[in-house]
């Protein structure tokens, strides 16, 4: 079911209730037991933004489209895919409408060493004119320009490297007339102290995150060997290998020593950063040739909050189940902003454990004695919970009737965009403020635009609204035409693939 329309906002958060809170019988219409959530904390409208900045009032929803439902087995389909995406502004040159250019989109993300299948293959898609509808079947389908291609293979990390819950980001960048597809790779659990702590060459938790592949004259994906991989200094792997986006050339030259790419990652639980991340980097500084593999590239942290194990500031309104999955630097001749896209934890409590306990109780917390981080109130402090809110666990296992995959949960998530002021990032680059000081000046709730569906195969791990996590997969911006693209994960019930949403920047 769908969430009610959320307003534009800046933090602090306003209490409102998303649709799905209750059907009058104490249970959500979606079928979950009562979450006990009360009101959820979502965006607050604060009016127009300052001159020179892009705000929610400058973003107009254009609609959505589907990806092709490919019959191939993983990784040759978009099922459970869409976690990396980039605009190719020169793609689809024969396109006749205003949605010229193309999208590179990653496919299925299932990967393990037992199947010998590497995930996150990339395809190129022509962009259809999106449609505003609540009927997925009425959405247009993007056409395939290039089939899904393995851009990693054995050559990048070697034949022994497979990622557990892979992370992947991509961005087209032009260097000396050649288009490259820059890529970041990693997995859910990383070595925080890499590369200095790396002891072997077959550890997937300890690989250099950044690589690039030159594209052919017409954007061909498979024309040359991959360059890299390279390490990025200035942040741990937990902050570097989930998304990649362009930095406008003028800003990069003026403030960042020419660095035109930004890498980032937010991991739930606050490992790496308690908020979204942006670390500027460039393999081709000063027009130099791409460096040798395993070179350490100087990264410049523009936005990096304190890790949960460290000291410093964090995102205002932060909760451990937050999910910031993509970013885009949006610039027009008159205005600009840095936008992060994801699913904000908006419940009154967040906890490490399961969706619900055997009696249906929410929160359902892993006992701290077993290793669980605990349960936390949105306003700070720990939850005051009775024993029924703890799953019965010991060192041999936990009650099998505790429902849902183990991890971070909250009573509700809301799809959101966070807006950051590039002037703040320039001050960080100049050393005037620390990278944990910038805060968003606005946010946009996009729950009213999402389809918020969950296939039966994902209910246990992903939940259903309002307790539906992993909503957004990736963001991409077309600076030539002013379109922002977002993937909504698992939104197509037929293919279990993503749906792409489109906003026009009117500023």
């Amino acid at each position: 079911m769908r969430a009610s329309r959320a307003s534009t906002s800046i933090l602090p958060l306003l209490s409102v209730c998303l649709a799905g809170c209750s059907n009058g019988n104490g249970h959500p219409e979606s079928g979950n037991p009562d979450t006990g959530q009360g009101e959820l904390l979502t965006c607050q409208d604060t009016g127009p933004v300052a001159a020179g900045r892009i705000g929610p009032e400058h973003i107009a929803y254009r609609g959505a489209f589907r990806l092709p439902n490919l019959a191939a087995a993983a990784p040759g389909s978009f099922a459970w895919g869409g976690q990396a995406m980039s605009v190719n502004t020169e793609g689809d040159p024969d396109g006749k409408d205003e949605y010229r250019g193309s999208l590179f989109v990653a496919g299925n993300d299932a990967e393990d060493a037992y199947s010998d299948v590497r995930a996150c293959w990339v395809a190129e898609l022509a962009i259809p004119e999106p449609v505003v509808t609540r009927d997925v079947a009425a959405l247009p389908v993007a056409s395939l320009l290039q089939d899904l291609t393995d851009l990693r293979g054995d050559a990048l990390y070697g034949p022994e490297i497979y990622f557990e819950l892979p992370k992947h980001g991509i961005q087209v960048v032009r260097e000396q007339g050649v288009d490259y597809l820059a890529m970041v790779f990693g997995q859910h659990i990383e070595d925080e102290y890499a590369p200095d702590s790396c002891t072997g060459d077959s550890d997937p938790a300890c690989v250099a995150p950044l690589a690039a592949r030159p594209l052919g004259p017409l954007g061909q994906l498979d024309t040359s060997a991959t360059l890299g991989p390279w390490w990025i200094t200035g942040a741990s792997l937990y902050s570097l290998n989930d998304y990649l986006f362009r930095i406008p050339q003028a800003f990069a030259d003026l403030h960042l020593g020419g660095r035109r790419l930004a890498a980032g990652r937010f991991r739930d639980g606050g490992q790496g950063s308690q908020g979204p991340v942006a670390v500027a980097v460039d393999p081709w500084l000063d027009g130099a040739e791409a460096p040798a593999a395993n070179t350490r590239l100087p990264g410049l942290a523009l936005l990096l909050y304190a890790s949960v194990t460290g000291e410093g500031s964090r995102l205002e309104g932060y909760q451990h189940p937050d999910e910031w999955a993509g970013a885009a630097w949006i610039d027009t001749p008159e205005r600009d902003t840095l936008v992060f896209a994801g699913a904000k934890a908006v419940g009154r409590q967040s906890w490490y454990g399961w969706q619900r306990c055997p009696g249906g109780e929410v929160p359902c917390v892993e006992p701290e004695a077993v290793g669980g981080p605990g349960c936390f109130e949105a306003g700070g402090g720990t939850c005051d919970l009775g024993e029924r809110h703890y799953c019965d666990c010991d060192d041999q296992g936990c009650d099998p009737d505790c429902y849902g995959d183990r991890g971070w949960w909250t009573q509700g998530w809301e799809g959101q965009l966070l807006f950051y002021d590039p002037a703040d990032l320039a001050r960080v680059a100049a050393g005037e403020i620390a990278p944990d000081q910038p805060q968003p000046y606005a946010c946009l709730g996009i729950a009213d635009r999402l389809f918020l569906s969950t296939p039966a195969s994902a209910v246990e791990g992903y939940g259903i609204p309002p307790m539906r996590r992993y909503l957004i997969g990736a963001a991409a911006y077309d600076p030539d035409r002013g379109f922002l693209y977002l993937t909504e994960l698992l939104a197509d019930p037929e293919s279990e693939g993503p749906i792409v949403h489109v906003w026009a920047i009117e500023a």
Side-chain angles (χ1 to χ4, degrees):
M1 61 169 304
R2 304 173 198 136
S4 63
R5 184 174 182 86
S7 59
T8 59
S9 75
I10 187 172
L11 304 175
L13 301 165
L14 174 70
S15 298
V16 295
C17 188
L18 293 176
C21 290
S22 175
N23 64 5
N25 298 317
H27 298 279
E29 295 175 7
S30 56
N32 266 349
D34 186 2
T35 63
Q37 67 206 15
E39 294 179 334
L40 299 179
L41 307 168
T42 64
C43 288
Q44 176 182 340
D45 190 354
T46 58
V49 300
R53 299 285 77 84
I54 290 171
E57 65 267 31
H58 302 116
I59 298 182
Y61 186 68
R62 288 291 187 90
F65 59 88
R66 306 167 79 180
L67 302 189
N69 185 7
L70 305 179
S77 76
F78 292 105
W80 294 71
Q83 299 204 42
M85 178 171 61
S86 177
V87 172
N88 179 14
T89 58
E90 303 300 318
D92 193 20
D94 297 327
K96 298 297 190 293
D97 59 23
E98 62 181 318
Y99 298 94
R100 292 184 299 277
S102 62
L103 289 175
F104 290 123
V105 182
N108 186 286
D109 72 344
E111 178 170 323
D112 64 74
Y114 303 102
S115 67
D116 294 330
V117 170
R118 288 185 174 83
C120 303
W121 292 20
V122 174
E124 184 182 18
L125 299 162
I127 304 169
E129 185 170 355
V131 171
V132 179
T133 178
R134 302 310 303 171
D135 180 7
V136 172
L139 294 174
V141 179
S143 58
L144 203 61
L145 297 175
Q146 295 188 71
D147 202 355
L148 286 158
T149 302
D150 183 5
L151 300 183
R152 199 172 98 211
D154 290 349
L156 185 54
Y157 295 119
E160 303 301 320
I161 294 293
Y162 291 88
F163 294 139
E164 179 194 17
L165 303 177
K167 301 295 180 182
H168 184 203
I170 55 177
Q171 175 63 48
V172 174
V173 60
R174 176 163 290 186
E175 172 62 25
Q176 298 184 13
V178 177
D179 283 336
Y180 293 83
L181 188 64
M183 308 174 287
V184 287
F185 286 103
Q187 68 170 20
H188 178 61
I189 297 177
E190 300 282 12
D191 186 328
E192 289 189 83
Y193 305 102
D196 297 328
S197 56
C198 297
T199 58
D201 58 4
S202 61
D203 182 358
C206 201
V207 299
L210 180 63
R213 191 178 186 99
L215 300 172
L218 298 178
Q220 293 97 328
L221 287 168
D222 56 351
T223 60
S224 182
T226 303
L227 305 178
W230 306 294
W231 297 98
I232 304 172
T233 66
S236 77
L237 291 177
Y238 278 129
S239 299
L240 291 173
N241 54 25
D242 190 30
Y243 48 83
L244 199 62
F245 60 94
R246 62 175 278 280
I247 298 173
Q249 185 74 62
F251 188 96
D253 290 341
L254 184 60
H255 301 291
L256 308 178
R259 296 173 177 87
R260 298 163 298 167
L261 292 170
R265 175 183 176 184
F266 170 82
R267 182 189 166 176
D268 57 4
Q271 286 186 258
S273 176
Q274 294 177 94
V277 179
V279 179
V281 66
D282 198 315
W284 299 278
L285 283 179
D286 302 320
E289 294 293 324
N294 293 310
T295 297
R296 300 191 190 195
L297 303 180
L300 179 59
L302 303 178
L303 185 66
L304 183 63
Y305 295 104
S307 172
V308 68
T309 58
E311 296 182 356
S313 299
R314 63 184 190 175
L315 174 70
E316 293 176 1
Y318 166 84
Q319 293 200 59
H320 284 314
D322 289 352
E323 299 164 2
W324 303 111
W329 197 302
I330 301 175
D331 55 316
T332 72
E334 303 297 331
R335 298 173 181 267
D336 61 356
T337 189
L338 172 55
V339 163
F340 289 92
K344 181 73 183 71
V346 294
R348 290 290 184 179
Q349 296 158 318
S350 60
W351 62 93
Y352 190 85
W354 293 263
Q355 283 190 43
R356 57 181 184 265
C357 285
E361 285 83 2
V362 171
C364 182
V365 186
E366 179 175 285
E368 288 88 336
V370 177
C375 177
F376 304 92
E377 300 287 345
T382 58
C383 307
D384 183 15
L385 300 173
E387 286 299 316
R388 71 184 187 280
H389 288 283
Y390 286 84
C391 193
D392 185 15
C393 295
D394 55 34
D395 59 1
Q396 301 298 316
C398 296
D399 190 329
D401 291 328
C402 290
Y403 183 79
D405 285 0
R406 180 170 169 260
W408 282 103
W409 291 91
T410 182
Q411 288 97 339
W413 281 268
E414 181 191 30
Q416 288 187 6
L417 304 180
L418 295 185
F419 296 74
Y420 280 82
D421 190 340
D424 290 340
L425 307 186
R427 294 180 63 201
V428 173
E432 298 174 6
I433 59 175
D436 65 349
Q437 294 305 298
Q439 293 288 341
Y441 60 84
C443 80
L444 173 65
I446 58 173
D448 61 323
R449 300 306 186 184
L450 303 180
F451 290 92
L452 297 175
S453 59
T454 308
S457 58
V459 169
E460 186 168 351
Y462 283 52
I464 51 180
M467 290 177 65
R468 170 63 158 85
R469 57 183 182 175
Y470 310 136
L471 292 172
I472 305 299
Y477 177 61
D478 183 343
D480 290 357
R481 301 167 185 91
F483 293 123
L484 174 67
Y485 298 92
L486 298 181
T487 57
E488 180 187 355
L489 300 180
L490 295 172
D492 190 328
E494 181 178 329
S495 67
E496 295 188 345
I499 284 174
V500 179
H501 296 269
V502 187
W503 284 264
I505 310 304
E506 300 178 346

